[in-house]
Amino acid sequence: MRARLALLVAAVSVLTLIAFLVPLALLVRTVAEDRATVRATADAQSLVPVVGTADAATIRLTVEQLAAESGRPVSVFLPDGTVLGAQTPRTPAVALAARGQSLTGESAAGREVVIAVQGRADGTGVIRIAVPQHELTAGVTRAWLVLALLGVILVLIGLAVADRLARTLVRPISDLSAVSHRLANAELDARVTPAGPPELREVAGALNHLASRIQVLLVQEREQVADLSHQLRTPLTALRLEAESLRDPDDAARITAAADGLERAVTGLIRQARWRHNPAAQPAASDAAAIVADRVAFWSVLAEDTGRAVTLDLTPGPLPVGVAADNLTAAVDALLGNVFAHTPDGTPFAVRLAREAGEVVLTVADEGPGMPAGAIRRGASAAGSTGLGLDIARRAAQAAGGRLEVRTGPTGGAQVLLRLGPPASPRDA
């Protein structure tokens, strides 16, 4: 922006100076020519009494003296054809003056002043003074240099003023940009000091108000999520007590495990609500091999009850990934839960966990009817669910620097790939 303002001021200054200095330079040249012409005319006028009354010898002496003093060629053409002084041929201007008309004309060497002298007994005499070109332009070059220097100085002053003005505009804009980037990086305590023109100060105040409003909304969201999650602990405790009272140990163990998993999810929500204001404090690493193996073992019990064949291909761990354990657990549960929610009982599925090109890839494939179009959109579901399962998995993949891919398998069923990147630092791994 500073460069553009400087370029704009330079262009305006140059155009203004051209519009001002070019006519002034032409005027200086005209004034110099007129000054030299006036001096030559005055010298010629001083010869008129002598040429009109004196004899040839007196005229010659006076002409030579004037030529020596002025440094200009001076010629006097007498009616009988005698030329006194500088021997120059008769020019058209001299011929015109011999008829009684005085004039000033241009010549190859510069300018000539021709005056007709009437009153002589033998006819009309003519006085001719040549003004050389160097006398017509005397002082013009120096004046033009002074004008050019003045123009350069004015342009430089304009650039300096424009740069100073641009600084007063650019600095507040840079501060606004820096604070905006800090807010985008979750530094919600970042504020900008209003400065600059009134419009920029108003924008700074609006940005500060927006940051404060975001802080308030996030605090309210954290409190609501934490309160809701904490309220779920009471029914979870009751569910665990009911599970312990069951007579069948297998049913009791299964329901207790489900309650434990739900409690872990609730605990994860509470931690996320508390950690959201300080993302650096949130754990960002987990062992994908251990988590996937644990969740597959949990869902295998339900798969056995519904007659589903499970094919497992799990690479032995550890396989560190850059996502928190609670988030990865929720993502794996969401992918496996979709298999049970969107395929009929008895539909086989396969789970594969492997390392590929620096990433850990979890593949969940089934032989069901396939994933409906648009199912990856948040809240989209064709089975009466919330439609947030794939979105949970997608956010977990993005947190680990990866992505979520939904494909159609070779048999026409759904194939979901969860690509997870490594932890941010070796210490986390």
Side-chain angles (χ1 to χ4, degrees):
M1 184 174 180
R2 289 176 60 184
R4 292 185 177 182
L5 285 176
L7 181 61
L8 176 61
V9 171
V12 173
S13 300
V14 169
L15 292 177
T16 303
L17 290 175
I18 289 176
F20 173 72
L21 294 181
V22 170
L24 185 59
L26 296 177
L27 178 62
V28 168
R29 186 179 65 180
T30 302
V31 169
E33 292 176 350
D34 292 344
R35 183 176 62 245
T37 303
V38 168
R39 286 199 300 264
T41 302
D43 292 341
Q45 292 288 351
S46 66
L47 288 178
V48 170
V50 178
V51 174
T53 59
D55 56 9
T58 304
I59 295 174
R60 178 180 291 106
L61 181 61
T62 305
V63 168
E64 291 177 354
Q65 183 180 1
L66 178 61
E69 293 176 354
S70 63
R72 306 186 195 93
V74 180
S75 303
V76 175
F77 298 87
L78 298 178
D80 59 359
T82 304
V83 180
L84 303 177
Q87 300 298 312
T88 57
R90 288 178 176 266
T91 62
V94 173
L96 188 60
R99 300 176 183 177
Q101 182 177 355
S102 302
L103 55 93
T104 301
E106 302 294 333
S107 66
R111 184 173 294 183
E112 57 180 345
V113 177
V114 181
I115 297 179
V117 180
Q118 298 178 350
R120 289 180 61 89
D122 54 352
T124 302
V126 177
I127 302 172
R128 178 185 182 273
I129 297 182
V131 183
Q133 189 67 35
H134 66 84
E135 186 176 355
L136 292 174
T137 59
V140 174
T141 301
R142 183 177 60 183
W144 284 2
L145 290 177
V146 172
L147 291 177
L149 180 60
L150 177 62
V152 172
I153 293 175
L154 291 177
V155 170
L156 293 178
I157 293 176
L159 290 177
V161 174
D163 184 70
R164 187 173 183 85
L165 177 62
R167 288 183 181 181
T168 61
L169 295 176
V170 171
R171 187 179 296 111
I173 294 176
S174 301
D175 294 341
L176 286 174
S177 177
V179 172
S180 299
H181 287 298
R182 291 177 60 188
L183 291 175
N185 293 329
E187 297 183 33
L188 299 182
D189 57 343
R191 296 293 184 274
V192 61
T193 302
E199 294 81 2
L200 290 180
R201 291 199 296 268
E202 183 177 355
V203 173
L207 182 62
N208 291 337
H209 178 69
L210 176 62
S212 301
R213 185 58 180 165
I214 292 175
Q215 274 190 320
V216 172
L217 293 177
L218 288 179
V219 169
Q220 293 177 354
E221 180 189 1
R222 289 197 301 267
E223 291 177 352
Q224 292 176 359
V225 173
D227 292 344
L228 178 61
S229 302
H230 188 71
Q231 291 171 6
L232 291 176
R233 289 186 179 276
T234 300
L236 282 176
T237 303
L239 179 61
R240 185 178 289 105
L241 293 176
E242 290 292 335
E244 293 176 354
S245 65
L246 293 176
R247 295 181 180 180
D248 189 344
D250 293 335
D251 292 342
R254 186 171 64 254
I255 296 177
T256 301
D260 291 340
L262 184 56
E263 185 175 6
R264 286 195 299 271
V266 171
T267 302
L269 288 176
I270 296 176
R271 289 177 178 174
Q272 287 181 358
R274 292 175 177 175
W275 286 333
R276 192 168 298 173
H277 70 285
N278 187 12
Q282 184 175 0
S286 59
D287 184 4
I291 292 176
V292 172
D294 177 70
R295 302 320 297 160
V296 170
F298 172 80
W299 287 95
S300 295
V301 178
L302 182 58
E304 184 179 353
D305 292 343
T306 57
R308 301 172 185 269
V310 182
T311 303
L312 300 179
D313 183 10
L314 306 181
T315 300
L319 294 177
V321 292
V323 62
D326 293 336
N327 293 341
L328 182 57
T329 300
V332 176
D333 285 341
L335 297 182
L336 296 177
N338 278 340
V339 175
F340 291 88
H342 297 285
T343 61
D345 293 348
T347 302
F349 66 94
V351 179
R352 179 176 180 270
L353 181 68
R355 187 188 298 273
E356 297 180 3
E359 295 180 329
V360 175
V361 182
L362 172 64
T363 305
V364 178
D366 62 64
E367 299 182 8
M371 190 72 67
I376 198 171
R377 296 197 308 270
R378 180 177 176 87
S381 175
S385 62
T386 61
L388 300 180
L390 289 179
D391 187 68
I392 292 174
R394 178 184 58 81
R395 287 189 287 114
Q398 290 179 348
R403 64 187 183 278
L404 178 69
E405 299 178 2
V406 179
R407 304 176 180 174
T408 300
T411 61
Q415 188 179 63
V416 182
L417 285 75
L418 188 67
R419 298 183 179 274
L420 304 171
S425 64
R427 180 180 59 84
D428 295 334

